[in-house]
Amino acid sequence: MNTGADGAARAGRWQRQEFLETALPCLDAITQLARHLTGQRCDAEDLVQETYLRAYAHFSEYRGGSMRAWLAAICLNTARSEGRRLARRPAEVLDADPEPPALSGDPVAVAALSHLTWHAIQVGLAQLPEPQRLCIVLMDIAGYTASETAQLLGCPRGTVLARVHRGRVRLARIITATEAKNARH
């Protein structure tokens, strides 16, 4: 005899399996994005876990399309929410994560950033306005296209390209000034 509970259990197993098959291949990309958003390995791991928990809880709302983009949007929104929550608390100072993540995206940006220390890049990125920083992180470091980045941030592709351009120029000036200052000392 097939009861409603049996049907619900089968549906739950099917949904769990479908979620795992579609979401787990994106784990590396989401982990890399989380590392760039948080700057700390342990915070990134927490962010990835929270992203996947929220994605699973709302998987019934997923309407197809790019699972990677959907998870990245959840990760980005979760990071923003956590940032607002932390802004209301006293600051905790932890050691910086010394291991730089792999760079991807625009070959010119990768070549330009690869000779710099990861610390210099982090310091420079932290000084950029959030819209420029997010576009650079998503495109140059996490490897998203301009269209994917625009979809994630909810703005036109041209806006993303302008933010990336202005952000790269500003980041280059910040890093150049920092490197020159460090060379004098």
Side-chain angles (χ1 to χ4, degrees):
M1 174 184 250
N2 187 4
T3 65
D6 290 338
R10 271 196 306 281
R13 282 192 301 273
W14 173 82
Q15 182 179 2
R16 213 174 11 260
Q17 186 63 33
E18 184 181 8
F19 176 77
L20 292 173
E21 289 174 2
T22 57
L24 283 182
C26 305
L27 183 61
D28 289 342
I30 300 306
T31 301
Q32 185 177 14
L33 174 60
R35 292 214 44 214
H36 293 296
L37 292 172
T38 63
Q40 297 287 332
R41 179 177 297 191
C42 61
D43 292 341
E45 291 168 357
D46 291 344
L47 179 57
V48 169
Q49 183 177 9
E50 185 64 27
T51 297
Y52 272 80
L53 286 170
R54 289 181 184 196
Y56 182 71
H58 297 280
F59 188 59
S60 63
E61 299 169 21
Y62 174 64
R63 300 290 177 236
S66 172
M67 173 58 76
R68 180 176 164 221
W70 187 65
L71 289 168
I74 293 170
C75 183
L76 186 60
N77 289 333
T78 303
R80 285 178 173 161
S81 296
E82 180 66 9
R84 286 190 297 271
R85 186 183 71 77
L86 290 176
R88 295 186 301 262
R89 295 179 51 199
E92 297 177 19
V93 179
L94 301 174
D95 291 335
D97 193 353
E99 181 184 326
L103 297 172
S104 62
D106 179 14
V108 175
V110 171
L113 295 175
S114 64
H115 79 281
L116 299 170
T117 65
W118 179 237
H119 178 71
I121 296 169
Q122 283 180 311
V123 168
L125 283 172
Q127 295 179 42
L128 293 178
E130 182 183 8
Q132 291 175 1
R133 181 176 59 249
L134 286 175
C135 288
I136 288 174
V137 166
L138 289 169
M139 287 184 60
D140 293 341
I141 300 175
Y144 288 90
T145 65
S147 296
E148 290 171 329
T149 301
Q151 182 182 5
L152 287 170
L153 299 177
C155 62
R157 182 177 178 273
T159 300
V160 168
L161 293 173
R163 288 175 180 171
V164 166
H165 174 73
R166 287 191 305 269
R168 287 174 182 161
V169 169
R170 195 172 196 174
L171 181 60
R173 288 183 186 141
I174 291 168
I175 291 174
T176 301
T178 303
E179 295 287 316
K181 181 180 169 186
N182 290 341
R184 286 191 300 257
H185 294 306

